[in-house]
Amino acid sequence: MESTFSSPAEVALQREAGVPGLLTPSADLDRVYELERVVGFVRDRQCQRVALQFPDQLLGDAGAVAARLEETTGSKMFILGDTAYGSCCVDVLGAEQAGAQALVHFGPACLSPPARPLPVAFILGQRFVALELCAKAFEAQNPDPTAPVVLLSEPACAHALEALATLLRPKYQDLLVSSPALHLPVESSNPESEPLECFGRHFPLAPGRRLEEYDAFYVGGSEANPDLDPDLSRLLLGWAPGKPFSSCCPDTGQIQDESARAGRLRARRRYLVERARDARVVGLLVGTLGVARHREALAHLRNLTQAAGKRSYVLALGRPTPAKLANFPEMDVFVLLACPLGALAPYPSESFFRPILTPCELEAACNPAWPPPGLAPYLTHYADLLPGSPFHVPLPPPESELWDTPDVSLISGELRPPPSWKSSNDPGCSALTPRPSLQLAESSPAASFLNSRSWQGLEPCLGQTPVTEAVSGRRGIAIAYENEGSS
């Protein structure tokens, strides 16, 4: 049963660290992992115990990096290489178990604020960017020099955006450069002058300007892997639908229009919203324990499903796999409460027997007041749904007419019933209906699911079987019982 609900221990022991033959040469470790900046980070905070978090593809270099940092700083280094959920989130729980005073995160990161205060340094990497090729691709995609365009990139290419903007600014008048939102403890005397933070990035907008006015040019991705990465999916879902969005491969300068992919992602989201509206039982998957406000978000989702007349179960299973989720066939949909990159991770839809939704899709399905007027409905982070966010929409009161609005399923074509608490409080229904014996007044979702199946196990036949004394049963093995004799 261990492998049914959680990953077996043998998998972690037998997994290889790093890719053989692709380890970073010793002479390039300082440049690739920015060890000089890490050493300055450790010395400035005078940390004696530091945790180093590596994703699976970089674990092959973890030992060499830790040894070099220990030799340079004199501090004790702990390698965190086995995260319970996603490697993009800061593993503050693992760092606390090691007694670390700070944490250094290597590789792609979602840049979500951690649940506990801990000094964190992000080493996003520095991927090679062919500036001349990317500049030519930008000019070919944006012939109008007066059109407002924002430069975006994957985290490993963020170091080259300013250099790319320097080549383009003599021709383009309205060019905006984004930067990763690293959540550094910077004191600001004027909060109004702080740049806009969205999609894990900072956008230094001019006064009176909005992000919805800009086209998008994304530097990142790979031609060999056409599948969308979670970071690009987050941008395509949240960007203004009417604005062009194009991506450029940093190695070859090959450009691609992402408008069609963005349309497919939004169509997929609308389909999942309909599935959530048809669902009666929702499984809430805990996908993070290190991102801030995850407990508040879990309580919000439970209240949301209860207000919509649905039942919900909280499941803490680690990373979702088809084998784990198949143990809960009574669930109609699953909702993964994780960081934006973890919630949008590409799961093969044909492997899971029930769809996996994001919290924003559940909000759109269960809150009749959604979407908020004048705000973008395509959100990707659960923190945008909580009180204090400009996108937060409170649930309507029970007497609101929004709960009584007729709703037809676009999947089955049937009229959806109102929430159960609305029908039970109807003052016009006062007649008592006799209920046959041996019928539960209220059953669990598992019992309701079992009742809907064609085969429900052995029939109890209560009251129909005559009472007899107990007798001795058969003895022996199945192929030769003692009372059967020899054949």
Side-chain angles (χ1 to χ4, degrees), residues 58 75 116 149 265 306 386:
L58 298 181
S75 303
R116 291 178 174 85
V149 184
L265 283 174
Q306 183 180 5
L386 303 180

Side-chain angles (χ1 to χ4, degrees), residues 141 236 243-247 255-262:
Q141 186 69 18
L236 292 179
K243 289 296 181 179
F245 197 110
S246 56
S247 64
I255 198 168
Q256 184 175 0
D257 187 8
E258 301 291 351
S259 301
R261 291 185 178 181

Side-chain angles (χ1 to χ4, degrees), residues 300 363 367 370 372 375 379 383-395:
H300 173 75
E363 179 82 21
N367 191 347
W370 188 266
L375 295 175
L379 304 180
D384 296 330
L385 309 175
L386 303 180
S389 169
F391 300 97
H392 172 67
V393 179
L395 287 171

Side-chain angles (χ1 to χ4, degrees), residues 37-330:
R37 185 160 69 91
V38 176
V39 170
F41 170 79
V42 175
R43 289 178 175 175
D44 291 344
R45 288 157 180 78
Q46 300 180 355
C47 301
Q48 301 301 322
R49 301 169 67 91
V50 182
L52 307 179
Q53 181 178 346
F54 292 85
D56 292 346
Q57 64 271 18
L58 298 181
L59 277 177
D61 296 330
V65 172
R68 186 165 298 186
L69 289 176
E70 283 188 348
E71 180 182 358
T72 306
T73 62
S75 303
K76 183 65 176 178
M77 300 293 166
F78 296 86
I79 298 175
L80 305 179
D82 185 19
T83 56
Y85 299 101
S87 59
C88 62
C89 299
V90 176
D91 190 6
V92 292
L93 299 181
E96 289 181 354
Q97 291 177 359
Q101 301 169 320
L103 186 145
V104 182
H105 184 283
F106 296 92
C110 60
L111 302 179
S112 301
R116 291 178 174 85
L118 183 71
V120 180
F122 292 95
I123 307 300
L124 303 176
Q126 295 185 1
R127 181 181 176 183
F128 172 75
V129 178
L131 296 178
E132 296 293 339
L133 297 178
C134 293
K136 292 180 180 179
F138 183 93
E139 296 175 355
Q141 186 69 18
N142 301 275
D144 186 6
T146 61
V149 184
V150 58
L151 290 178
L152 304 162
S153 72
E154 65 178 38
C157 299
H159 65 95
L161 284 188
E162 278 295 342
L164 179 61
T166 303
L167 297 178
L168 298 174
R169 281 199 176 102
K171 180 178 179 181
Y172 292 89
Q173 307 172 5
D174 196 351
L175 195 63
L176 186 67
V177 182
S178 63
S179 60
L182 298 179
H183 298 284
L184 299 177
V186 178
E187 298 181 358
S188 176
S189 58
N190 186 12
E192 297 181 356
S193 62
E194 295 181 357
L196 171 68
E197 181 178 340
C198 190
F199 308 115
R201 295 166 171 83
H202 283 150
F203 298 90
L205 291 172
R209 301 299 300 271
R210 298 186 307 164
L211 191 60
E212 291 80 2
E213 303 173 2
Y214 286 82
D215 301 344
F217 185 84
Y218 181 86
V219 180
S222 173
E223 298 178 0
N225 186 14
D227 297 334
L228 285 178
D229 60 287
D231 182 62
L232 183 55
S233 299
R234 172 170 58 168
L235 290 169
L236 292 179
L237 274 175
W239 209 258
K243 289 296 181 179
F245 197 110
S246 56
S247 64
C248 176
C249 180
D251 302 323
T252 62
Q254 184 69 27
I255 198 168
Q256 184 175 0
D257 187 8
E258 301 291 351
S259 301
R261 291 185 178 181
R264 289 194 296 267
L265 283 174
R266 297 189 181 104
R268 173 67 178 174
R269 166 159 285 193
R270 288 190 290 268
Y271 166 76
L272 293 177
V273 170
E274 288 297 315
R275 289 294 299 267
R277 288 172 178 169
D278 291 342
R280 295 186 301 171
V281 185
V282 179
L284 303 178
L285 302 177
V286 179
T288 180
L289 294 177
V291 180
R293 307 184 71 180
H294 69 276
R295 293 181 180 270
E296 184 180 352
L298 184 60
H300 173 75
L301 295 182
R302 297 185 66 180
N303 295 334
L304 188 65
T305 54
Q306 183 180 5
K310 306 178 187 298
R311 291 180 178 267
S312 62
Y313 288 87
V314 179
L315 307 175
L317 306 176
R319 297 181 184 180
T321 61
K324 296 178 185 178
L325 303 188
N327 293 281
F328 308 95
E330 64 272 13

